[in-house]
């Protein structure tokens, strides 16, 4: 099954900028939706979450910083790139501090837009893979912990039974031989348990 194209939302009150982003990114095969108003854009995002959001830092009514905050409240996994003509370090730092992946100062070339979008989407994919791997690791740890708990019960019960029985062995010529066999058996089971616990500890550290 062919992978679905990445979905990108652009929020910018500059019509020429919206159209430029649309044409450049659409040509790259992405699905694009554009909005000139932050409130309308947020309503759309709450219904259809994009892989990437491209927003203008300075807009009327609802600015880029506020949009970043609201988008992360909707879905913190949405990657955000800020486009701004106000290229001060303070503005860029504030946007990134509030959760933007990166910023792209105007004017920019088509290649610059393509590169930053590609990097942002790659980062998002890596983060999603990391989350999946973490969940799978946690699932394996739970399964192995359950397995270890189950495996510990039987040998511990066996060892308890043998050790308790040693006290009541009849005083016969074979008493010492039986004692040795039972002690050897118990020591073997203890070794097996130690190995099982050691493996569990290794998996727990993954």
């Amino acid at each position: 099954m062919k992978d679905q194209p990445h979905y990108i939302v652009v929020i910018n009150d500059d019509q020429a900028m919206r159209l430029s982003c649309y044409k450049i990114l659409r040509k790259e095969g992405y699905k694009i939706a554009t909005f000139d108003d932050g409130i309308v854009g947020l309503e759309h995002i709450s219904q259809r979450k994009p892989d990437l959001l491209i927003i203008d830092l300075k807009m009327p009514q609802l600015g880029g910083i506020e949009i970043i905050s609201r988008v992360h409240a909707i879905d913190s996994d949405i990657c955000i790139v800020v486009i701004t003509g106000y290229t001060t370090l303070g503005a860029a730092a504030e946007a990134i501090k509030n959760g933007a992946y990166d910023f792209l100062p105007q004017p920019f070339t088509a290649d610059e837009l393509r590169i930053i979008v590609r990097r942002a989407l790659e980062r998002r994919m890596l983060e999603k893979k990391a989350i999946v791997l973490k969940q799978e690791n946690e699932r394996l740890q739970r399964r192995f912990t359950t397995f270890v708990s189950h495996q510990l019960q039987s040998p511990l019960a066996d060892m308890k039974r043998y050790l308790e029985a040693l006290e009541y062995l009849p005083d016969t010529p074979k008493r010492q031989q039986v004692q040795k066999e039972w002690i050897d058996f118990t020591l073997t089971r203890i070794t097996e348990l130690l190995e099982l616990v050691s493996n569990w500890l290794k998996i727990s550290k993954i």
Side-chain angles (χ1 to χ4, degrees), residues 187-206:
L187 290 173
T188 299
R189 298 299 276 167
I190 289 174
T191 301
E192 292 173 353
L193 288 177
L194 289 174
E195 183 177 355
L196 186 65
V197 172
S198 176
N199 290 332
W200 176 78
L201 290 173
K202 290 177 182 176
I203 289 180
S204 298
K205 294 178 180 178
I206 296 176

Side-chain angles (χ1 to χ4, degrees), residues 49-68:
K49 299 177 180 63
D51 299 299
L52 175 65
L53 170 63
I54 301 175
I55 57 173
D56 190 357
L57 186 61
K58 189 71 173 180
M59 291 193 300
Q61 294 186 334
L62 197 62
I65 299 298
E66 179 64 22
I67 292 175
I68 292 172

Side-chain angles (χ1 to χ4, degrees), residues 78-94:
I78 296 174
C79 197
I80 301 173
V81 170
V82 171
I83 292 178
T84 177
Y86 299 80
T87 56
T88 65
L89 289 177
E94 185 179 4

Side-chain angles (χ1 to χ4, degrees), residues 32-74:
I32 313 294
T34 64
F35 301 91
D36 62 356
D37 181 272
I39 295 175
V40 177
L42 283 170
E43 289 175 355
H44 175 82
I45 290 171
S46 66
Q47 297 172 4
R48 185 181 178 187
K49 299 177 180 63
D51 299 299
L52 175 65
L53 170 63
I54 301 175
I55 57 173
D56 190 357
L57 186 61
K58 189 71 173 180
M59 291 193 300
Q61 294 186 334
L62 197 62
I65 299 298
E66 179 64 22
I67 292 175
I68 292 172
S69 176
R70 296 193 187 187
V71 167
H72 281 165
I74 295 171

Side-chain angles (χ1 to χ4, degrees), residues 162 176-186:
Y162 274 89
Q176 288 187 343
Q177 179 183 346
V178 173
Q179 283 180 330
K180 184 178 185 307
E181 289 175 355
W182 288 7
I183 290 172
D184 288 344
F185 169 81
T186 302

Side-chain angles (χ1 to χ4, degrees), residues 6 19 26 106 118 149 151-152 187 196 205:
H6 291 293
L19 182 60
R26 184 68 176 146
Q106 298 182 61
R118 191 179 305 121
S149 299
Q151 293 298 310
L152 284 173
L187 290 173
L196 186 65
K205 294 178 180 178

